[in-house]
Amino acid sequence: MVIGLVLHTGHRARFAEAARTLTGVEFTWAVYEHEEQIRDRVRDLLAAEELDGLLLGLVPFARSRDLIPAGLPVAVTRSAALDLALAWARARGNGWPATPVSIDTFTHETVAEVASALGLDRSAVATLPFDADQPVDEVVAFHQEHLARTGARYVITVRTGVAAALDGRAAVLHALATPGTIRADLYDLVLRVRRRRADEQRFAAAVFRAPEAGTRAALQRALQSVPELADAWIEEHGPRGVVAFAPAAVFETLTEHWVTTPVRWHNSPDDETGDLDAVAGFGIGPSARGSVALAEQAADRAEQDGAASAYLITDDGVMIGPMGSGGTPLAYTYRGHGGLETLAGRAGLSPATLSRLAALERSLGGRSISPGDLAEALGITDPSGRRLIRKLSDAGLVVAGGSTQPHPKGRPARLYRLAIAQALATGDDQPGGDPA
């Protein structure tokens, strides 16, 4: 298991101490000195490593949350009430009065809780909770105004940038997360990753219901044509339903991490039923029967929405949904077009993956896409997206299409246009065909 850690250079010792007691985990570090470096450090970390989880603080998370791949387990470590209490204890150890004082980052509730426990005058404590959009100079100005107005002896801060700006102008006490706080967050993250891995090995049931009676057989045929469900147990279930039983990871892939609705199935051209819209319910339970029962409950809940929808219910009471119908429809057609299998073999990909890419190409309508956007559309990590682009490029199934720079300070991202349909149309799927 590989866990990424994003931290300020001055915090490395405490993070290393927190990580020391974890075994069976490899840590990779993204260390920054100034907040402006965070995005580049996180981007480089995600590009260099196939991470199983990511731990970072409030500021790094706020600065880089859009870079984090969907589905990657993330823990945001933050200073706790104990860390604030320890800062106040250090103030008293220095002979300073506990109040007046100004405090940033902590919530009003946490400050009130600790001040009450220590018997302090809450009205003499100024609090500025964390705001992701608030620059360092505004936090510094908050402390300076309070110092000038009250004559306070010191400030309490969590942000290293604020402490550096106030250095030499005011006494500063850090209320940084202790190794114990960080260790607790690390343990929680590792446990979530391990639970997720265990869940991926569990089997799940899915109940699909078509809106009209008599469409059950067509729905079953449509499901049986989906490559990911090739090894699934699929049978009719009720007058208008079909039940499928497969590893939970299969359904997680189909739903793009339980986000989109995998219920619009495009049948082969010679199938008169056309597209099928249905509701879906997923269940993950301790047994096959239990999973099906949970899936039925989830399907009942989806039908209450009155439109194509899907829900997931697990045996520990978690419900996820409704899953949206936005995103790329899952249209699998390769079994009716043997050439796609040949192309997949040439690219070193599974027919299922190339089928999803063909569906994505149709939805793009000729528009170019970055490796990161491709990864997001397929529900995979950014490094996997880049490796996929390289395979497609080697097989002549993408065409370079310029570059884009979504963030002024970020690195430009190359754009590519999928060319799978062109390869099929020109016969490049045949052995010995020239790549597009």
Side-chain angles (χ1 to χ4, degrees):
M1 181 187 303
V2 180
I3 299 294
L5 302 174
V6 183
L7 59 142
H8 187 272
T9 183
H11 302 167
R12 181 151 189 165
R14 67 182 64 222
F15 272 77
E17 182 180 347
R20 180 172 50 84
T21 58
L22 275 170
T23 58
V25 179
E26 178 184 344
F27 294 99
T28 182
W29 306 75
V31 182
Y32 64 92
E33 187 172 356
H34 304 289
E35 292 184 9
E36 292 73 18
Q37 300 171 330
I38 291 174
R39 290 184 62 83
D40 285 340
R41 298 292 189 270
V42 172
R43 188 181 289 108
D44 292 344
L45 175 65
L46 295 172
E49 296 285 350
E50 191 80 31
L51 299 179
D52 296 298
L54 183 67
L55 178 77
L56 65 178
L58 279 170
V59 173
F61 179 70
R63 292 262 183 164
S64 62
R65 62 186 307 168
D66 61 303
L67 301 177
I68 301 173
L72 178 67
V74 174
V76 181
T77 190
R78 63 194 75 196
S79 298
L82 175 61
D83 304 317
L84 177 58
L86 291 174
W88 253 316
R90 290 195 298 273
R92 289 186 168 179
N94 291 339
W96 299 337
T99 59
V101 66
S102 54
I103 302 171
D104 65 56
T105 304
F106 289 94
T107 65
H108 290 290
E109 293 76 13
T110 299
V111 173
E113 174 189 350
V114 177
S116 176
L118 298 177
L120 304 180
D121 179 7
R122 178 67 183 85
S123 64
V125 181
T127 306
L128 184 65
F130 179 76
D131 182 348
D133 298 323
Q134 193 165 46
V136 168
D137 56 359
E138 290 187 11
V139 183
V140 172
F142 157 76
H143 286 297
Q144 289 179 320
E145 187 278 330
H146 187 266
L147 288 166
R149 179 168 50 83
T150 65
R153 294 286 302 275
Y154 67 101
V155 305
I156 296 178
T157 184
V158 176
R159 301 181 62 168
T160 52
V162 172
L166 290 172
D167 186 34
R169 292 190 279 177
V172 177
L173 286 181
H174 292 271
L176 302 173
T178 62
T181 299
I182 299 169
R183 186 178 298 114
D185 291 331
L186 271 177
Y187 282 156
D188 178 71
L189 176 60
V190 170
L191 286 175
R192 281 196 286 124
V193 173
R194 287 174 177 163
R195 282 197 299 267
R196 177 176 176 174
R197 287 182 173 180
D199 283 343
E200 289 175 348
Q201 301 304 314
R202 300 175 69 188
F203 276 75
V207 170
F208 300 90
R209 294 177 185 162
E212 300 177 2
T215 57
R216 182 178 58 183
L219 180 58
Q220 183 177 2
R221 289 196 302 271
L223 290 172
Q224 288 173 335
S225 71
V226 178
E228 280 83 351
L229 297 178
D231 297 324
W233 163 54
I234 301 174
E235 68 175 25
E236 296 180 353
H237 189 72
R240 56 187 178 87
V242 174
V243 63
F245 197 65
V250 169
F251 295 122
E252 184 171 334
T253 298
L254 291 179
T255 58
E256 299 182 357
H257 303 287
W258 311 113
V259 173
T260 61
T261 310
V263 292
R264 188 170 179 83
W265 312 100
H266 182 70
N267 300 316
S268 58
D270 58 349
D271 192 329
E272 297 179 358
T273 59
D275 290 345
L276 292 173
D277 288 309
V279 301
F282 302 94
I284 302 178
S287 64
R289 179 175 296 179
S291 296
V292 172
L294 291 169
E296 289 173 336
Q297 295 178 34
D300 290 341
R301 178 63 183 85
E303 287 191 318
Q304 294 176 19
D305 288 353
S309 180
Y311 281 82
L312 163 72
I313 298 179
T314 67
D315 57 342
D316 56 1
V318 173
M319 176 185 287
I320 298 175
M323 300 175 201
S325 58
T328 305
L330 298 178
Y332 298 95
T333 59
Y334 86 89
R335 291 190 176 182
H337 198 320
L340 201 57
E341 290 183 307
T342 303
L343 281 180
R346 191 176 83 192
L349 301 171
S350 70
T353 297
L354 200 62
S355 179
R356 295 185 71 190
L357 289 166
L360 176 61
E361 180 183 358
R362 288 193 296 272
S363 70
L364 289 172
R367 298 191 305 275
S368 298
I369 190 171
S370 70
D373 291 337
L374 178 68
E376 182 178 356
L378 297 180
I380 60 178
T381 64
D382 281 2
S384 296
R386 286 189 290 273
R387 287 193 292 270
L388 181 56
I389 284 289
R390 286 195 293 270
K391 284 189 174 183
L392 293 171
S393 180
D394 291 343
L397 299 178
V398 293
V399 178
S403 63
T404 183
Q405 190 169 8
H407 305 287
K409 296 184 179 180
R411 297 177 181 177
R414 296 194 65 181
L415 296 174
Y416 299 86
R417 179 174 55 81
L418 292 169
I420 300 168
Q422 178 183 352
L424 291 170
T426 58
D428 289 344
D429 54 294
Q430 302 301 318
D434 296 328

